[in-house]
Amino acid sequence: MVVGSLPEQTDLVVIGGGVGGYIAAIRAAELGLSVILVEKDRLGGHCLNYACIPSKTLIHIADMFYDIKNASKFGINVGSISLDAKKMLQWRMDTSRKLESGVAFLCNSHEVEVVKGTATFTSSNSLRLGTGNTIEFKKAIIATGSEPTVLKGFEFGEDILDYKRALMLDRVPSTMLIIGGGYVGVEIATLYAKLGTKVTIAEKFDILFNFDKDAANLVKKRLAELDVSLKIGVTPVSKAGKIVKLSDGASSAFDIVVVSIGLSPYTAELGLENTKVKLDENGFVTVDDRLVTMDPNILAVGDVNGGPLLAHRAMRQGVVAAEVVAGLPSGYDNVVVPAAVFSDPEIAIAGSIEEKLGIKVTRFPLSALGIAIALDKTNGFVKVASDSQNIVKGIEIVGQSAATMISEAALAIEMGATLEDIADTIHVHPTFSESIEEVTEGGLGRGLHFFYGK
């Protein structure tokens, strides 16, 4: 889409209309800068159209479907139940379109000029669009994000999918192999298993190996209950038709293979060689604490500048980068970037919960929480790590609504809160958020609903 005629000069050009890019563009416009936003695909990028929003939409639908089928324990007896996969996909697609149109409205309202197409740097102050137009800029922000990493021998095709296409199926496959047991692979495995697919995960290391073992083990147990086959320490070797051979010697047929082994920064065809921008050994754009690259006229935000590759990190960096361009004394100095896995149970963490010298870790089980018992959602716990001054260094939540609750933990850590600050704050009863209050009470040696011992 193009709004109006292209100016030859602008204060700021943003390359990439994902969550980091459009946030940067809008914030810069708020600060009085003229802004051009270049996006080759869809506003909102991968998050709104292919990843975060679509996956959580489908996970919600899968959870509803599964819960209805298994509601007899609550006295709800359901007869025949079926799933219309095409209608499910339509809801998922309509949700993304609605959000994309919302982003377009915001850009238009802030007089951000949106250009559909590609952009290639021709110098540190100019770039060429796919249309052939040239734009001269004072500053530029690279917000091109990342793309699914390709696995040799399992290149993407008709029945070998990346996470984007796995979230755009209009049918429920009977069998699925997921290569990679990270958070994306686990989320996709859980949602399709609840819809009735026989899922196998092949993972070289372990499921969620970058997360706390206690949390990962609960998810592994739940995946087994959902009849997901876990092939730990196993990698795919070859594929012939529907048959995939694994390194453990087994060969099985799968309708769909999903490759989910990570993300790679998208810097292809940006013409960075025509600038002073530098990449690190993994291909990510190097930036300082103000998100400025080695080229003083060019900044970079989000996945393209390295991990953690999370949408909310990109959003925050988009704000910071825009303020830096506008001359404000802003910097990316956040203490913590919270993370969440929408697995079953959910996992969310802010800070570190590693027990080491000077750090104490306290755990509160959801089996001692009233609302968890009432809703039969006791599979989980909360951990808090604190130092000798009772300052909170990390909180991990495993269980219902973990992703929603973790923001309280992130705020506490950013503000340097103590165990007392949280424990003495009244939390609504009965809610899952009480578990954060309970675990901090335990950390202070005054646990109220769980006996930690004398």
Short mmCIF file of all heavy atoms in Angstrom, two decimals, residues 148-202:
data_model
loop_
_atom_site.label_atom_id
_atom_site.label_comp_id
_atom_site.label_asym_id
_atom_site.label_seq_id
_atom_site.Cartn_x
_atom_site.Cartn_y
_atom_site.Cartn_z
N PRO A 148 12.33 -18.44 9.86
CA PRO A 148 12.60 -19.80 10.33
C PRO A 148 13.89 -20.36 9.73
O PRO A 148 14.16 -20.20 8.54
CB PRO A 148 11.38 -20.59 9.84
CG PRO A 148 10.30 -19.57 9.70
CD PRO A 148 10.99 -18.32 9.24
N THR A 149 14.68 -21.00 10.59
CA THR A 149 15.92 -21.61 10.14
C THR A 149 15.63 -22.88 9.35
O THR A 149 14.80 -23.69 9.75
CB THR A 149 16.83 -21.93 11.34
OG1 THR A 149 17.09 -20.72 12.07
CG2 THR A 149 18.15 -22.54 10.89
N VAL A 150 16.33 -23.04 8.24
CA VAL A 150 16.13 -24.21 7.37
C VAL A 150 17.03 -25.35 7.83
O VAL A 150 18.20 -25.14 8.16
CB VAL A 150 16.42 -23.85 5.90
CG1 VAL A 150 16.28 -25.08 5.01
CG2 VAL A 150 15.50 -22.73 5.43
N LEU A 151 16.49 -26.57 7.86
CA LEU A 151 17.25 -27.76 8.22
C LEU A 151 17.63 -28.50 6.94
O LEU A 151 16.77 -28.85 6.13
CB LEU A 151 16.42 -28.68 9.12
CG LEU A 151 17.06 -30.01 9.53
CD1 LEU A 151 18.31 -29.77 10.37
CD2 LEU A 151 16.05 -30.85 10.31
N LYS A 152 18.92 -28.72 6.76
CA LYS A 152 19.40 -29.39 5.55
C LYS A 152 18.76 -30.77 5.42
O LYS A 152 18.72 -31.55 6.36
CB LYS A 152 20.92 -29.52 5.60
CG LYS A 152 21.52 -30.09 4.32
CD LYS A 152 23.04 -30.13 4.38
CE LYS A 152 23.62 -30.68 3.09
NZ LYS A 152 25.11 -30.73 3.13
N GLY A 153 18.26 -31.04 4.24
CA GLY A 153 17.58 -32.31 3.98
C GLY A 153 16.10 -32.26 4.27
O GLY A 153 15.35 -33.16 3.88
N PHE A 154 15.68 -31.19 4.96
CA PHE A 154 14.26 -31.01 5.28
C PHE A 154 13.84 -29.58 4.92
O PHE A 154 13.24 -28.87 5.72
CB PHE A 154 13.99 -31.31 6.76
CG PHE A 154 14.11 -32.77 7.10
CD1 PHE A 154 15.35 -33.36 7.33
CD2 PHE A 154 12.97 -33.57 7.16
CE1 PHE A 154 15.46 -34.70 7.63
CE2 PHE A 154 13.06 -34.91 7.46
CZ PHE A 154 14.32 -35.49 7.69
N GLU A 155 14.21 -29.19 3.70
CA GLU A 155 13.86 -27.87 3.22
C GLU A 155 12.33 -27.77 3.12
O GLU A 155 11.65 -28.74 2.84
CB GLU A 155 14.50 -27.61 1.86
CG GLU A 155 16.02 -27.40 1.92
CD GLU A 155 16.82 -28.69 2.08
OE1 GLU A 155 16.21 -29.78 1.89
OE2 GLU A 155 18.02 -28.63 2.39
N PHE A 156 11.81 -26.55 3.33
CA PHE A 156 10.37 -26.34 3.36
C PHE A 156 9.75 -26.63 1.99
O PHE A 156 10.30 -26.26 0.95
CB PHE A 156 10.05 -24.92 3.80
CG PHE A 156 10.61 -24.58 5.15
CD1 PHE A 156 11.42 -23.46 5.33
CD2 PHE A 156 10.32 -25.37 6.24
CE1 PHE A 156 11.94 -23.15 6.58
CE2 PHE A 156 10.83 -25.07 7.50
CZ PHE A 156 11.65 -23.96 7.66
N GLY A 157 8.62 -27.31 2.02
CA GLY A 157 7.93 -27.67 0.80
C GLY A 157 6.48 -28.00 1.08
O GLY A 157 5.90 -27.54 2.06
N GLU A 158 5.90 -28.87 0.24
CA GLU A 158 4.47 -29.16 0.34
C GLU A 158 4.06 -29.75 1.67
O GLU A 158 3.06 -29.36 2.25
CB GLU A 158 4.08 -30.12 -0.79
CG GLU A 158 2.60 -30.45 -0.82
CD GLU A 158 2.24 -31.39 -1.96
OE1 GLU A 158 3.10 -31.65 -2.81
OE2 GLU A 158 1.08 -31.85 -1.98
N ASP A 159 4.85 -30.72 2.18
CA ASP A 159 4.50 -31.34 3.46
C ASP A 159 5.59 -31.19 4.51
O ASP A 159 5.60 -31.85 5.53
CB ASP A 159 4.13 -32.81 3.27
CG ASP A 159 5.25 -33.61 2.60
OD1 ASP A 159 6.30 -33.00 2.27
OD2 ASP A 159 5.09 -34.82 2.39
N ILE A 160 6.55 -30.29 4.26
CA ILE A 160 7.55 -29.90 5.25
C ILE A 160 7.34 -28.42 5.51
O ILE A 160 7.61 -27.58 4.64
CB ILE A 160 8.99 -30.18 4.78
CG1 ILE A 160 9.17 -31.67 4.47
CG2 ILE A 160 9.99 -29.74 5.85
CD1 ILE A 160 10.56 -32.03 3.98
N LEU A 161 6.84 -28.10 6.69
CA LEU A 161 6.36 -26.75 6.96
C LEU A 161 7.20 -26.02 7.99
O LEU A 161 7.78 -26.64 8.90
CB LEU A 161 4.91 -26.80 7.46
CG LEU A 161 3.92 -27.69 6.69
CD1 LEU A 161 2.55 -27.60 7.34
CD2 LEU A 161 3.86 -27.30 5.23
N ASP A 162 7.24 -24.70 7.89
CA ASP A 162 7.76 -23.89 8.99
C ASP A 162 6.59 -23.58 9.91
O ASP A 162 5.45 -23.99 9.66
CB ASP A 162 8.43 -22.61 8.47
CG ASP A 162 7.50 -21.73 7.65
OD1 ASP A 162 6.26 -21.89 7.75
OD2 ASP A 162 7.99 -20.86 6.91
N TYR A 163 6.86 -22.87 11.01
CA TYR A 163 5.80 -22.60 11.98
C TYR A 163 4.67 -21.78 11.38
O TYR A 163 3.51 -21.92 11.77
CB TYR A 163 6.36 -21.91 13.23
CG TYR A 163 6.84 -20.49 12.99
CD1 TYR A 163 5.96 -19.41 13.01
CD2 TYR A 163 8.19 -20.21 12.76
CE1 TYR A 163 6.40 -18.12 12.79
CE2 TYR A 163 8.63 -18.92 12.54
CZ TYR A 163 7.74 -17.88 12.56
OH TYR A 163 8.17 -16.60 12.33
N LYS A 164 4.99 -20.92 10.42
CA LYS A 164 3.96 -20.07 9.81
C LYS A 164 2.90 -20.91 9.11
O LYS A 164 1.70 -20.75 9.32
CB LYS A 164 4.59 -19.09 8.83
CG LYS A 164 5.54 -18.09 9.46
CD LYS A 164 6.03 -17.06 8.45
CE LYS A 164 6.92 -17.67 7.41
NZ LYS A 164 7.46 -16.66 6.49
N ARG A 165 3.35 -21.83 8.26
CA ARG A 165 2.41 -22.65 7.50
C ARG A 165 1.73 -23.69 8.39
O ARG A 165 0.60 -24.11 8.12
CB ARG A 165 3.12 -23.32 6.33
CG ARG A 165 3.50 -22.32 5.23
CD ARG A 165 4.25 -22.98 4.10
NE ARG A 165 3.46 -24.04 3.50
CZ ARG A 165 4.00 -25.12 2.92
NH1 ARG A 165 5.32 -25.27 2.90
NH2 ARG A 165 3.23 -26.03 2.37
N ALA A 166 2.41 -24.08 9.48
CA ALA A 166 1.78 -25.02 10.41
C ALA A 166 0.59 -24.40 11.11
O ALA A 166 -0.30 -25.10 11.60
CB ALA A 166 2.81 -25.49 11.45
N LEU A 167 0.57 -23.07 11.15
CA LEU A 167 -0.54 -22.35 11.78
C LEU A 167 -1.55 -21.85 10.75
O LEU A 167 -2.39 -21.01 11.06
CB LEU A 167 0.00 -21.17 12.60
CG LEU A 167 0.94 -21.55 13.75
CD1 LEU A 167 1.57 -20.30 14.36
CD2 LEU A 167 0.22 -22.35 14.81
N MET A 168 -1.48 -22.41 9.53
CA MET A 168 -2.41 -22.01 8.47
C MET A 168 -3.06 -23.22 7.81
O MET A 168 -3.55 -23.13 6.69
CB MET A 168 -1.67 -21.16 7.42
CG MET A 168 -1.12 -19.86 7.96
SD MET A 168 -0.27 -18.85 6.72
CE MET A 168 -1.65 -18.24 5.75
N LEU A 169 -3.09 -24.34 8.52
CA LEU A 169 -3.71 -25.54 7.98
C LEU A 169 -5.23 -25.46 8.10
O LEU A 169 -5.76 -25.02 9.12
CB LEU A 169 -3.21 -26.78 8.72
CG LEU A 169 -1.71 -27.10 8.59
CD1 LEU A 169 -1.36 -28.31 9.44
CD2 LEU A 169 -1.34 -27.33 7.14
N ASP A 170 -5.93 -25.89 7.06
CA ASP A 170 -7.40 -25.91 7.11
C ASP A 170 -7.92 -27.32 7.38
O ASP A 170 -9.05 -27.65 7.06
CB ASP A 170 -7.99 -25.36 5.81
CG ASP A 170 -7.64 -26.22 4.60
OD1 ASP A 170 -6.85 -27.19 4.74
OD2 ASP A 170 -8.16 -25.92 3.50
N ARG A 171 -7.08 -28.14 7.95
CA ARG A 171 -7.44 -29.51 8.33
C ARG A 171 -6.61 -29.91 9.54
O ARG A 171 -5.59 -29.27 9.84
CB ARG A 171 -7.19 -30.48 7.19
CG ARG A 171 -5.71 -30.58 6.78
CD ARG A 171 -5.51 -31.41 5.53
NE ARG A 171 -4.12 -31.45 5.11
CZ ARG A 171 -3.23 -32.33 5.53
NH1 ARG A 171 -3.59 -33.24 6.44
NH2 ARG A 171 -1.99 -32.30 5.10
N VAL A 172 -7.04 -30.95 10.22
CA VAL A 172 -6.28 -31.50 11.34
C VAL A 172 -5.59 -32.76 10.84
O VAL A 172 -6.25 -33.76 10.58
CB VAL A 172 -7.20 -31.82 12.53
CG1 VAL A 172 -6.39 -32.45 13.66
CG2 VAL A 172 -7.91 -30.57 13.02
N PRO A 173 -4.27 -32.72 10.65
CA PRO A 173 -3.57 -33.90 10.13
C PRO A 173 -3.65 -35.06 11.12
O PRO A 173 -3.72 -34.85 12.33
CB PRO A 173 -2.14 -33.41 9.95
CG PRO A 173 -2.00 -32.22 10.84
CD PRO A 173 -3.35 -31.59 10.90
N SER A 174 -3.63 -36.28 10.59
CA SER A 174 -3.71 -37.44 11.48
C SER A 174 -2.39 -37.67 12.21
O SER A 174 -2.39 -38.08 13.38
CB SER A 174 -4.10 -38.69 10.68
OG SER A 174 -3.15 -38.93 9.65
N THR A 175 -1.26 -37.38 11.54
CA THR A 175 0.05 -37.55 12.17
C THR A 175 0.92 -36.35 11.85
O THR A 175 0.80 -35.74 10.78
CB THR A 175 0.75 -38.83 11.69
OG1 THR A 175 0.89 -38.78 10.27
CG2 THR A 175 -0.01 -40.08 12.11
N MET A 176 1.81 -36.02 12.77
CA MET A 176 2.70 -34.87 12.59
C MET A 176 4.02 -35.12 13.30
O MET A 176 4.04 -35.54 14.46
CB MET A 176 2.04 -33.60 13.14
CG MET A 176 2.93 -32.35 13.11
SD MET A 176 2.12 -30.90 13.86
CE MET A 176 0.88 -30.51 12.62
N LEU A 177 5.12 -34.86 12.63
CA LEU A 177 6.44 -34.88 13.25
C LEU A 177 6.90 -33.44 13.40
O LEU A 177 6.89 -32.67 12.44
CB LEU A 177 7.45 -35.64 12.38
CG LEU A 177 8.92 -35.53 12.81
CD1 LEU A 177 9.15 -36.20 14.16
CD2 LEU A 177 9.85 -36.11 11.75
N ILE A 178 7.29 -33.08 14.60
CA ILE A 178 7.84 -31.75 14.86
C ILE A 178 9.32 -31.91 15.17
O ILE A 178 9.70 -32.62 16.11
CB ILE A 178 7.12 -31.04 16.01
CG1 ILE A 178 5.64 -30.85 15.67
CG2 ILE A 178 7.78 -29.70 16.32
CD1 ILE A 178 4.83 -30.23 16.78
N ILE A 179 10.16 -31.29 14.36
CA ILE A 179 11.61 -31.35 14.57
C ILE A 179 12.00 -30.13 15.39
O ILE A 179 11.97 -29.00 14.91
CB ILE A 179 12.36 -31.37 13.23
CG1 ILE A 179 11.88 -32.53 12.36
CG2 ILE A 179 13.85 -31.46 13.46
CD1 ILE A 179 12.44 -32.52 10.95
N GLY A 180 12.34 -30.36 16.65
CA GLY A 180 12.69 -29.28 17.56
C GLY A 180 11.72 -29.18 18.71
O GLY A 180 10.51 -29.07 18.50
N GLY A 181 12.25 -29.23 19.93
CA GLY A 181 11.42 -29.20 21.12
C GLY A 181 11.53 -27.91 21.91
O GLY A 181 11.37 -27.90 23.13
N GLY A 182 11.81 -26.81 21.21
CA GLY A 182 11.79 -25.50 21.86
C GLY A 182 10.37 -25.05 22.10
O GLY A 182 9.41 -25.80 21.90
N TYR A 183 10.21 -23.78 22.49
CA TYR A 183 8.87 -23.33 22.89
C TYR A 183 7.89 -23.33 21.71
O TYR A 183 6.72 -23.66 21.88
CB TYR A 183 8.92 -21.96 23.56
CG TYR A 183 9.17 -20.78 22.66
CD1 TYR A 183 8.11 -20.07 22.10
CD2 TYR A 183 10.46 -20.35 22.37
CE1 TYR A 183 8.32 -18.98 21.28
CE2 TYR A 183 10.69 -19.26 21.55
CZ TYR A 183 9.62 -18.58 21.00
OH TYR A 183 9.85 -17.50 20.18
N VAL A 184 8.37 -23.03 20.50
CA VAL A 184 7.47 -23.03 19.34
C VAL A 184 7.01 -24.45 19.04
O VAL A 184 5.82 -24.72 18.83
CB VAL A 184 8.15 -22.41 18.11
CG1 VAL A 184 7.27 -22.57 16.87
CG2 VAL A 184 8.45 -20.93 18.35
N GLY A 185 7.95 -25.39 19.03
CA GLY A 185 7.60 -26.78 18.77
C GLY A 185 6.65 -27.35 19.79
O GLY A 185 5.70 -28.07 19.45
N VAL A 186 6.87 -27.01 21.06
CA VAL A 186 6.00 -27.50 22.14
C VAL A 186 4.60 -26.92 22.02
O VAL A 186 3.60 -27.63 22.21
CB VAL A 186 6.62 -27.18 23.52
CG1 VAL A 186 5.60 -27.36 24.63
CG2 VAL A 186 7.83 -28.07 23.76
N GLU A 187 4.49 -25.62 21.70
CA GLU A 187 3.17 -25.01 21.55
C GLU A 187 2.39 -25.65 20.40
O GLU A 187 1.20 -25.97 20.55
CB GLU A 187 3.32 -23.51 21.32
CG GLU A 187 3.77 -22.73 22.54
CD GLU A 187 3.89 -21.24 22.32
OE1 GLU A 187 3.67 -20.78 21.18
OE2 GLU A 187 4.18 -20.51 23.28
N ILE A 188 3.05 -25.85 19.27
CA ILE A 188 2.38 -26.46 18.12
C ILE A 188 1.99 -27.89 18.42
O ILE A 188 0.88 -28.35 18.09
CB ILE A 188 3.28 -26.38 16.87
CG1 ILE A 188 3.44 -24.92 16.43
CG2 ILE A 188 2.69 -27.20 15.72
CD1 ILE A 188 4.42 -24.72 15.30
N ALA A 189 2.87 -28.62 19.10
CA ALA A 189 2.58 -30.02 19.46
C ALA A 189 1.37 -30.10 20.37
O ALA A 189 0.49 -30.95 20.18
CB ALA A 189 3.80 -30.64 20.14
N THR A 190 1.30 -29.24 21.35
CA THR A 190 0.21 -29.28 22.32
C THR A 190 -1.13 -28.97 21.65
O THR A 190 -2.12 -29.67 21.88
CB THR A 190 0.46 -28.26 23.45
OG1 THR A 190 1.72 -28.55 24.06
CG2 THR A 190 -0.62 -28.36 24.52
N LEU A 191 -1.17 -27.93 20.82
CA LEU A 191 -2.45 -27.56 20.22
C LEU A 191 -2.95 -28.63 19.27
O LEU A 191 -4.15 -28.97 19.27
CB LEU A 191 -2.37 -26.18 19.56
CG LEU A 191 -1.84 -25.99 18.15
CD1 LEU A 191 -2.96 -26.17 17.12
CD2 LEU A 191 -1.21 -24.63 17.99
N TYR A 192 -2.07 -29.23 18.45
CA TYR A 192 -2.54 -30.26 17.52
C TYR A 192 -2.87 -31.56 18.22
O TYR A 192 -3.81 -32.27 17.82
CB TYR A 192 -1.52 -30.46 16.39
CG TYR A 192 -1.71 -29.46 15.28
CD1 TYR A 192 -0.81 -28.41 15.11
CD2 TYR A 192 -2.81 -29.53 14.44
CE1 TYR A 192 -0.99 -27.47 14.11
CE2 TYR A 192 -3.01 -28.59 13.43
CZ TYR A 192 -2.10 -27.56 13.27
OH TYR A 192 -2.30 -26.63 12.29
N ALA A 193 -2.15 -31.86 19.30
CA ALA A 193 -2.48 -33.07 20.07
C ALA A 193 -3.87 -32.95 20.66
O ALA A 193 -4.64 -33.92 20.69
CB ALA A 193 -1.44 -33.30 21.17
N LYS A 194 -4.23 -31.75 21.13
CA LYS A 194 -5.56 -31.55 21.71
C LYS A 194 -6.66 -31.59 20.65
O LYS A 194 -7.82 -31.85 20.96
CB LYS A 194 -5.60 -30.22 22.47
CG LYS A 194 -4.82 -30.27 23.78
CD LYS A 194 -4.96 -28.99 24.57
CE LYS A 194 -4.28 -29.11 25.93
NZ LYS A 194 -4.43 -27.90 26.77
N LEU A 195 -6.28 -31.32 19.40
CA LEU A 195 -7.25 -31.40 18.31
C LEU A 195 -7.40 -32.81 17.76
O LEU A 195 -8.27 -33.07 16.94
CB LEU A 195 -6.86 -30.44 17.18
CG LEU A 195 -6.90 -28.94 17.50
CD1 LEU A 195 -6.42 -28.13 16.32
CD2 LEU A 195 -8.30 -28.51 17.92
N GLY A 196 -6.50 -33.72 18.19
CA GLY A 196 -6.62 -35.11 17.78
C GLY A 196 -5.50 -35.65 16.92
O GLY A 196 -5.52 -36.83 16.54
N THR A 197 -4.49 -34.85 16.61
CA THR A 197 -3.35 -35.32 15.82
C THR A 197 -2.42 -36.17 16.67
O THR A 197 -2.18 -35.85 17.85
CB THR A 197 -2.57 -34.12 15.25
OG1 THR A 197 -3.42 -33.33 14.45
CG2 THR A 197 -1.37 -34.57 14.43
N LYS A 198 -1.90 -37.24 16.10
CA LYS A 198 -0.86 -38.04 16.78
C LYS A 198 0.47 -37.37 16.48
O LYS A 198 0.99 -37.41 15.37
CB LYS A 198 -0.86 -39.47 16.26
CG LYS A 198 0.19 -40.35 16.95
CD LYS A 198 -0.12 -40.51 18.43
CE LYS A 198 0.91 -41.40 19.13
NZ LYS A 198 2.20 -40.69 19.37
N VAL A 199 1.03 -36.72 17.50
CA VAL A 199 2.22 -35.89 17.34
C VAL A 199 3.47 -36.58 17.88
O VAL A 199 3.44 -37.21 18.94
CB VAL A 199 2.04 -34.53 18.05
CG1 VAL A 199 3.28 -33.66 17.87
CG2 VAL A 199 0.81 -33.80 17.53
N THR A 200 4.56 -36.44 17.15
CA THR A 200 5.87 -36.89 17.61
C THR A 200 6.83 -35.70 17.57
O THR A 200 6.83 -34.94 16.60
CB THR A 200 6.44 -38.00 16.69
OG1 THR A 200 5.58 -39.13 16.73
CG2 THR A 200 7.84 -38.42 17.14
N ILE A 201 7.58 -35.52 18.65
CA ILE A 201 8.61 -34.48 18.69
C ILE A 201 9.97 -35.14 18.70
O ILE A 201 10.24 -36.01 19.53
CB ILE A 201 8.49 -33.59 19.94
CG1 ILE A 201 7.14 -32.87 19.99
CG2 ILE A 201 9.62 -32.57 19.98
CD1 ILE A 201 6.95 -32.02 21.24
N ALA A 202 10.82 -34.77 17.76
CA ALA A 202 12.21 -35.22 17.73
C ALA A 202 13.10 -34.06 18.15
O ALA A 202 13.10 -33.01 17.50
CB ALA A 202 12.61 -35.71 16.34
#
